[in-house]
Amino acid sequence: MFTIKNHLEVKNNHLLIGGADTTALAEQYGTPLYVTNEARIIENFSAYRKAFPKADIYYAAKANGSFAIMRILARQGAGTDVFSYGELYMALLAGIPREKILFNGNSKTDFELQKAVELGVKVSVDSQDELHTLSGIAERTGKTAEIAFRVNPDVSTPTHPKISTGLRTSKFGIPAEEVVDTYREASGLPGIAPCGIHCHIGSQILDTEPFVEATQKMMDLVKEVVELGIDLKFVDMGSGLGIPYKKGEQTPKPQDLADAILPVFNDRTQALGTSPKLILEPGRYIVADTTILLTRVNTVKKAAKNFVGVDAGFNLLIRPAMYDSYHYVVVANKASSPPEEIYTVVGPICETGDIFAKDRELPRVEKGDLIALLDAGAYGFSMSSQYNGRPRCAEALVKDGEADIIRSSEGIEDLMAKQKLPARLM
Ligand code: LLP
């Protein structure tokens, strides 16, 4: 037995996850199949806990909102960052206490704001417009909305432009120079209790420097807001810590992030004589490497490239098509066989961009082989669709070598589930 990447082991030429043989899982449950290792979720969450013992960790539900995964994290004491009423509903059902939820979003509906107020969940307010809507709702319902403002700190991040969120031109947050005035206004509005401040600069960031810059900028604002007489109970620095998608890649860990930002945070809060709680909202780091996507080889074709056609497409894992992102590939039934040829692994979707992995050295691949796409736990299933008439696949959760299905695969009937014909077309 040896380890192929992180917690994933190889035994008798087969890839194992959480002690379960992936070839047996594929046989039993069919493919495509998402498989998550429960122990790894807990390890990753604990790494954050240990690095930030005094902070609250609000898991970002968007990364993977599967109910069993939310429940595991709720039991670990996680709070959550939600971006829709759907995520809020699921988080509460999973057992995340309402006091540990922050409702984020740059374009919330009035219904969503109403729900947040009714349920007593903190709201990260993204615009002055939203502030006024929220104040109106709070006044009408006789409740007080606890809020933070989402700050656009104007920090550039070395990541894919589609997931850089704190640039001056990005759609998220209130420009840093307007933030203090917005707090001043908020403190005079009925039904509004400003009690925190929030930012999030991007995702899959592999350098701690942008986090330090963001912390400094946020603490400058905290100082000004506190000087207004507003009691800030929390500073939410969002998330963005990346993971090593490539094997052997050296990337910062939660402890490195803590070593970089806590001195700034602690010094600055001490100087102010306040003690706001630090909140962090990791998504990717908690779940990305916990999960693989198992997919069966339908066909191997030698053309301009050596194509391996598998039964999962970008409808199930859109990251490579959307962000050109890299996912490590293992031939799960030949996991310790030596590499022999260069292959490009593609899905069955009718789009040229439906490519999971380009030009990878793999053992000889044949029809019927099982491919594992690694690090698929974050923004994998949660971004899936039924594009090209493809029902979504099942999800399995493994613990101590035993698997449970935590989401059944969709069938053809699910493609029709919500569709109706007008009478004239009957
Ligand atoms: N907090 C807020 C306000 C966010 O917008 C996000 C992610 C997070 C926390 C979690 O960030 P993380 O720890 O996962 O970096 N679909 C893209 C990533 C989009 C991230 C959106 N926001 C991907 O597959 O790379």
Side-chain angles (χ1 to χ4, degrees):
M1 185 124 82
F2 67 95
T3 303
I4 199 157
K5 194 169 183 279
N6 301 321
H7 56 108
L8 299 172
E9 292 165 330
V10 174
K11 192 176 170 189
N12 303 329
N13 214 9
H14 287 182
L15 178 70
L16 267 52
I17 178 165
D21 186 325
T22 53
T23 65
L25 292 174
E27 208 54 57
Q28 187 175 359
Y29 301 115
T31 56
L33 179 70
Y34 269 103
V35 188
T36 296
N37 179 0
E38 181 166 344
R40 186 64 175 176
I41 300 178
I42 294 169
E43 272 170 40
N44 291 343
F45 186 77
S46 305
Y48 252 95
R49 263 267 67 85
K50 194 159 165 263
F52 295 96
K54 292 190 186 153
D56 273 349
I57 312 297
Y58 282 21
Y59 168 65
K62 60 188 81 73
N64 187 329
S66 295
F67 192 55
I69 289 170
M70 295 295 291
R71 175 60 60 87
I72 292 166
L73 287 162
R75 292 205 170 154
Q76 292 299 307
T80 186
D81 136 40
V82 298
F83 228 77
S84 64
Y85 176 58
E87 286 184 355
L88 172 58
Y89 175 86
M90 298 284 283
L92 290 168
L93 207 61
I96 310 253
R98 66 163 187 83
E99 309 77 36
K100 283 195 183 174
I101 298 180
L102 183 68
F103 198 131
N104 288 321
N106 65 296
S107 178
K108 306 177 193 79
T109 62
D110 290 7
F111 169 79
E112 287 178 316
L113 292 171
Q114 171 91 31
K115 280 290 177 192
V117 171
E118 262 170 38
L119 292 164
V121 165
K122 300 185 284 289
V123 179
S124 170
V125 174
D126 197 274
S127 66
Q128 282 88 353
D129 206 6
E130 185 181 305
L131 173 65
H132 292 123
T133 309
L134 195 63
S135 169
I137 291 171
E139 225 188 341
R140 278 198 298 282
T141 44
K143 300 214 173 194
T144 301
E146 293 203 317
I147 65 149
F149 284 109
R150 167 84 177 250
V151 176
N152 179 329
D154 190 14
V155 172
S156 85
T157 46
T159 189
H160 192 282
K162 284 187 184 156
I163 52 175
S164 194
T165 51
L167 297 175
R168 198 172 173 73
T169 49
S170 125
K171 70 171 181 172
F172 300 103
I174 295 172
E177 64 277 9
E178 289 174 29
V179 164
V180 176
D181 280 344
T182 314
Y183 275 95
R184 190 177 290 118
E185 188 190 351
S187 54
L189 282 179
I192 296 289
C195 62
I197 189 162
H198 176 218
C199 78
H200 171 74
I201 56 173
S203 196
Q204 184 55 14
I205 299 166
L206 297 177
D207 178 2
T208 54
E209 203 35 51
F211 296 109
V212 174
E213 189 189 335
T215 310
Q216 279 160 347
K217 288 190 167 175
M218 288 290 280
M219 294 316 290
D220 288 345
L221 291 172
V222 167
K223 180 170 185 292
E224 289 189 67
V225 173
V226 167
E227 282 167 4
L228 287 179
I230 293 175
D231 178 20
L232 286 184
K233 296 197 176 64
F234 67 91
V235 177
D236 183 336
M237 290 301 303
S239 176
L241 188 63
I243 64 131
Y245 284 97
K246 294 197 171 133
K247 195 173 170 179
E249 197 177 6
Q250 291 305 312
T251 62
K253 300 277 170 284
Q255 190 57 55
D256 300 307
L257 181 64
D259 293 345
I261 67 168
L262 284 184
V264 181
F265 180 78
N266 291 337
D267 284 0
R268 301 289 300 271
T269 45
Q270 228 163 26
L272 282 175
T274 57
S275 47
K277 190 157 208 82
L278 177 65
I279 295 178
L280 297 164
E281 304 175 336
R284 187 186 313 269
Y285 190 88
I286 307 295
V287 286
D289 77 0
T290 65
T291 301
I292 58 177
L293 175 57
L294 289 177
T295 176
R296 189 74 75 187
V297 176
N298 283 330
T299 170
V300 181
K301 176 169 71 179
K302 272 195 199 300
K305 285 183 181 269
N306 230 353
F307 289 112
V308 172
V310 295
D311 64 2
F314 78 55
N315 63 310
L316 293 180
L317 177 63
I318 203 169
R319 304 195 66 258
M322 193 150 172
Y323 318 107
D324 283 323
S325 51
Y326 179 100
H327 285 263
Y328 192 78
V329 172
V330 177
V331 183
N333 58 321
K334 298 175 178 170
S336 45
S337 301
E340 279 191 46
E341 283 197 56
I342 309 271
Y343 293 99
T344 288
V345 182
V346 299
I349 303 282
C350 182
E351 294 213 26
T352 311
D354 186 26
I355 298 175
F356 284 125
K358 279 183 192 145
D359 300 327
R360 300 291 175 84
E361 264 202 302
L362 300 173
R364 184 172 305 278
V365 181
E366 296 154 301
K367 179 179 173 66
D369 281 345
L370 186 67
I371 298 277
L373 299 164
L374 270 48
D375 305 313
Y379 311 105
F381 194 96
S382 64
M383 293 179 79
S384 64
S385 74
Q386 294 177 332
Y387 183 46
N388 258 200
R390 297 194 165 271
R392 291 181 186 83
C393 69
E395 292 181 284
L397 181 69
V398 172
K399 188 172 190 311
D400 303 328
E402 298 295 324
D404 290 290
I405 287 294
I406 56 168
R407 189 192 302 260
S408 309
S409 56
E410 293 176 348
I412 292 298
E413 68 284 3
D414 294 298
L415 300 181
M416 280 303 295
K418 296 285 177 189
Q419 305 201 52
K420 289 190 179 83
L421 283 182
R424 69 177 183 286
L425 295 179
M426 294 286 201

